Amino acid sequence: MAGSQPTPATEANGPERMTGAQAVVRSLEELGTEIVFGLPGGAVLPLYDALFDAEKLRHVLVRHEQGAGHAAEGYAVASGKVGVCIATSGPGATNLVTAIADAHLDSVPLVAITGQVGSPLLGTDAFQEADIRGITMPITKHNFMVTDPDEIPYALAAAFHIASTGRPGPVLVDIPKDIQNAVIDFNWPPTIDLAGYKPNTKPHNRQIAQAAKMIAEAKRPVLYIGGGVVKAEAHKQLAEFVEATGIPVVTTLMALGAFPQSHPLYLGMPGMHGSVPAVGAFQESDLLIAVGTRFDDRVTGDTDTFAPLAKVIHADIDPAEIGKIRAVDVPIVGDAKRVLSELTDCFSESGKTKAPDIALWIERLQGLKDRFPRGYDKHADGTLAPQYVIETLSRLAGPDAYYCSGVGQHQMWSAQFVDFETPRHWINSGGAGTMGYAIPAALGVKAAHPEAEVWAIDGDGCFQMTNQEITTAALEGFPFKVALINNGNLGMVRQWQTLFYDGHYSHTKLGGETYVPDFVQLSEALGAVAIRVTTEEEVEPAIQRAREINDRPVVIEFIVGEDAQVWPMIAAGSSNSDIEYARGMRPFFDEEESAAESPAAISETIETAVAEQEGN
């Protein structure tokens, strides 16, 4: 037990003597870590022995290492701090890989600490040995194997620095068991010297000036805002820039909440299941001002036809993203907060640049918002509409609640029908599209904000992957709530099979009306209060009841129709101009519309009107 470990010396007697495992715990505490998520095993037992005596560090025992990783992600996204997860060697470490890959694609600051077999056994195929450093090399910002116990404080301090600066991301620290057991002189703080790692946060003045000039001359500009704005805490600077210029805003899936959705200049989310005003604005724009975004394929569709009339200003902390997908007219490398602040200064009263005159453009976009509002059709067969469930949840829980989602139809409905007003209240798996993300992520969010209302909006497919973490929530005291959308199928796959595979529903049926598994009984067995809802009249009372229960997790199973689909939609790889507002209804080239509704025609009409206006 912990009593067998060296007793740390007092500071008055010089450096403290402790084991490498104790140095890990102490380093985490010095770095401000309050909570870690993990599961013990043989190669990490020395670290868990040290955690036994930790005074400032809370450990949350998950039921699966993947849950530890996603919980750390949810904690990081909701708090803005570095999330920490711990696993043992071999399968424990490899169970973290999905969460690490998820954090990599969504730029989440994550530090994963793994135990490793003893140094003399490395490379011998020892019990539970896996080259986790080699496995995770492509999906981490950096990773360490600690071979000298004296380097533990440095490795952890460097890991936190790398994970949280520049473009955030995951870092792995692999520590052999003998290194954890070794006794060292603990010194803090270590000097961090990372040759070649110097993220550029200050944008170049010339690029800012060029961008301001281009913005002032634009007739149809659009702000294309990505998750980097959230990570840079730049939402206030974004609002100030919009106030100074009057330019409309589109926020990606990862940036929902970066700009208030109630604002009249907000157009919605772009992409495969984006709003018609957002997609149409891209297609008709003459200038995209892209900040903290990477031109993801789910946004662009066919890149050759994406925003065909637009010049591009692209600002990002990561220079590798600029010009990677779309040619850029003005590249800006820098922190989103500084970029937006310096651009705003150009249009301030003391600045020299006049805001663009875009009244006709705003009128055009308002017309799209009026013609193609958010909405859905209630089912003629009487089944409960999932959109109604999520819309009602948003209305009752409000924008102060935190919403986590899995991946699939329920994720897209959540993005469409929850009203986001502030950043970091929307937590989901974007780049990786990881099924099973919502439940453990909600655990992490609740750990970050214990007093807040936290909802996991999940599908029956995703729920069956990580529902064991409800037990963690019940036993550890993190009573989040779950809105389980049960359509008895892998819903998004079924939608694609309906639209593109002639209704060949190959291996997508999960159970549905047979209640296998019975999610109410399962949730109760896991430690939650469980409610089943089958009619529209039951939705609001069930949500209100769940909101009143704060001592245990709550799972509401909503039985919905299996044929509900997500609209609008752009087929994968298609042009954004081919967006369908509803099945068979194409806003820009509908049979009832003429070619005058094409982006080029709209562009010409607006430019002609502007020219006439300027001539008068």
Side-chain angles (χ1 to χ4, degrees):
M1 294 297 292
S4 64
Q5 304 289 353
T7 302
T10 63
E11 292 185 8
N13 295 328
E16 299 183 45
R17 297 283 288 171
M18 61 180 68
T19 65
Q22 289 174 321
V24 171
V25 173
R26 180 65 179 276
S27 297
L28 290 174
E29 291 175 340
E30 293 286 354
L31 289 161
T33 308
E34 298 172 342
I35 192 165
V36 298
F37 305 88
L39 193 87
V44 79
L45 276 179
L47 174 54
Y48 272 82
D49 197 50
L51 283 167
F52 186 83
D53 286 333
E55 296 180 356
K56 301 178 182 177
L57 194 61
R58 179 176 179 181
H59 178 274
V60 175
L61 176 62
V62 298
R63 268 54 189 173
H64 191 285
E65 290 91 353
Q66 182 180 347
H70 292 322
E73 284 190 275
Y75 176 90
V77 174
S79 68
K81 301 176 182 178
V82 175
V84 181
C85 54
I86 300 174
T88 191
S89 65
T94 59
N95 280 342
L96 287 178
V97 169
T98 296
I100 293 171
D102 190 277
H104 175 67
L105 283 166
D106 285 348
S107 303
V108 177
L110 178 75
V111 170
I113 301 171
T114 53
Q116 184 56 273
V117 300
S119 300
L121 297 176
L122 290 172
T124 68
D125 294 330
F127 178 67
Q128 291 193 334
E129 180 185 4
D131 180 13
I132 193 61
R133 190 179 181 206
I135 290 168
T136 60
M137 191 77 73
I139 55 171
T140 52
K141 279 188 75 175
H142 191 68
N143 57 33
F144 300 87
M145 174 180 276
V146 181
T147 58
D148 180 350
D150 290 320
E151 291 298 311
I152 286 175
Y154 173 83
L156 286 168
F160 269 64
H161 178 71
I162 294 169
S164 60
T165 56
R167 179 180 181 173
V171 179
L172 180 127
V173 182
D174 196 34
I175 312 176
K177 190 171 184 178
D178 58 313
I179 302 298
Q180 298 173 50
N181 281 322
V183 177
I184 69 168
D185 291 326
F186 181 84
N187 290 284
W188 192 270
T191 300
I192 300 175
D193 182 16
L194 298 167
Y197 182 71
K198 291 182 173 61
N200 180 26
T201 60
K202 187 182 186 318
H204 196 285
N205 292 339
R206 184 173 60 203
Q207 257 62 33
I208 291 291
Q210 289 179 350
K213 182 175 184 297
M214 190 175 288
I215 291 167
E217 295 172 351
K219 299 296 187 293
R220 301 182 308 283
V222 178
L223 271 162
Y224 169 22
I225 299 301
V229 170
V230 175
K231 291 172 175 60
E233 304 286 356
H235 53 285
K236 292 182 180 178
Q237 287 72 23
L238 172 61
E240 290 168 357
F241 179 72
V242 174
E243 181 70 23
T245 62
I247 296 174
V249 179
V250 170
T251 55
T252 67
L253 177 69
M254 302 307 296
L256 295 176
F259 190 74
Q261 295 190 6
S262 58
H263 195 287
L265 288 175
Y266 182 68
L267 301 177
M269 179 181 74
M272 180 174 285
H273 294 294
S275 72
V276 171
V279 172
F282 278 178
Q283 294 305 92
E284 298 174 8
S285 172
D286 65 354
L287 178 64
L288 292 187
I289 307 158
V291 184
T293 189
R294 58 188 178 89
F295 289 83
D296 178 74
D297 63 281
R298 283 299 191 262
V299 170
T300 66
D302 177 13
T303 54
D304 290 337
T305 59
F306 173 71
L309 311 171
K311 294 181 178 179
V312 175
I313 298 166
H314 191 181
D316 202 284
I317 192 73
D318 184 357
E321 290 297 343
I322 297 177
K324 185 174 79 174
I325 304 297
R326 174 66 180 257
V328 176
D329 296 279
V330 179
I332 305 176
V333 178
D335 176 74
K337 181 182 288 188
R338 298 186 69 165
V339 169
L340 289 167
S341 179
E342 293 190 21
L343 282 174
T344 301
D345 288 344
C346 295
F347 295 94
S348 65
E349 291 184 5
S350 58
K352 301 178 181 178
T353 309
K354 185 179 178 182
D357 183 359
I358 53 174
L360 291 173
W361 175 230
I362 298 300
E363 183 180 332
R364 161 63 180 167
L365 296 176
Q366 185 59 50
L368 288 179
K369 290 170 71 173
D370 293 341
R371 289 175 58 195
F372 303 103
R374 179 178 76 178
Y376 58 94
D377 293 325
K378 293 192 176 181
H379 300 156
D381 61 4
T383 56
L384 180 60
Q387 301 96 323
Y388 174 78
V389 170
I390 295 171
E391 188 175 55
T392 303
L393 173 60
S394 175
R395 174 171 56 82
L396 295 176
D400 291 334
Y402 290 82
Y403 301 89
C404 307
S405 87
V407 169
Q409 288 180 315
H410 62 279
Q411 177 190 29
M412 293 297 102
W413 287 320
S414 299
Q416 292 174 338
F417 291 97
V418 175
D419 295 315
F420 299 102
E421 294 294 306
T422 52
R424 298 193 184 279
H425 283 253
W426 167 239
I427 297 91
N428 80 126
S429 172
T434 304
M435 292 183 69
Y437 177 89
I439 299 299
L443 172 68
V445 174
K446 190 65 174 176
H449 300 288
E451 303 304 317
E453 185 172 343
V454 178
W455 284 87
I457 303 174
D458 218 1
D460 48 324
C462 288
F463 186 78
Q464 292 184 70
M465 293 189 174
T466 54
N467 59 66
Q468 68 275 357
E469 302 310 336
I470 289 175
T471 295
T472 305
L475 295 178
E476 295 277 354
F478 297 118
F480 62 85
K481 309 170 199 308
V482 182
L484 174 56
I485 309 298
N486 183 5
N487 64 1
N489 286 265
L490 297 171
M492 188 61 84
V493 182
R494 179 184 172 89
Q495 176 166 336
W496 282 46
Q497 288 173 335
T498 299
L499 299 175
F500 310 120
Y501 292 90
D502 299 322
H504 296 162
Y505 301 120
S506 177
H507 304 287
T508 46
K509 186 90 170 165
L510 292 175
E513 68 279 359
T514 62
Y515 296 124
V516 177
D518 186 317
F519 288 116
V520 169
Q521 292 189 33
L522 174 61
S523 299
E524 289 175 344
L526 292 170
V529 175
I531 306 166
R532 178 173 288 133
V533 170
T534 60
T535 67
E536 188 172 296
E537 292 72 25
E538 296 172 316
V539 171
E540 185 165 333
I543 293 172
Q544 292 287 37
R545 180 186 169 198
R547 299 187 68 216
E548 294 168 359
I549 298 172
N550 293 304
D551 59 345
R552 293 168 64 192
V554 183
V555 176
I556 310 176
E557 178 192 22
F558 296 97
I559 306 296
V560 303
E562 64 182 4
D563 288 318
Q565 295 185 344
V566 184
W567 298 97
M569 182 174 180
I570 303 166
S574 298
S575 169
N576 273 357
S577 294
D578 293 335
I579 186 173
E580 291 186 72
Y581 177 58
R583 190 170 184 181
M585 181 180 180
R586 296 173 60 188
F588 299 111
F589 295 98
D590 192 277
E591 291 180 359
E592 298 179 1
E593 300 286 350
S594 69
E597 283 294 300
S598 71
I602 294 296
S603 166
E604 184 177 350
T605 300
I606 291 176
E607 288 179 353
T608 300
V610 169
E612 291 176 352
Q613 200 174 57
E614 291 175 346
N616 294 331

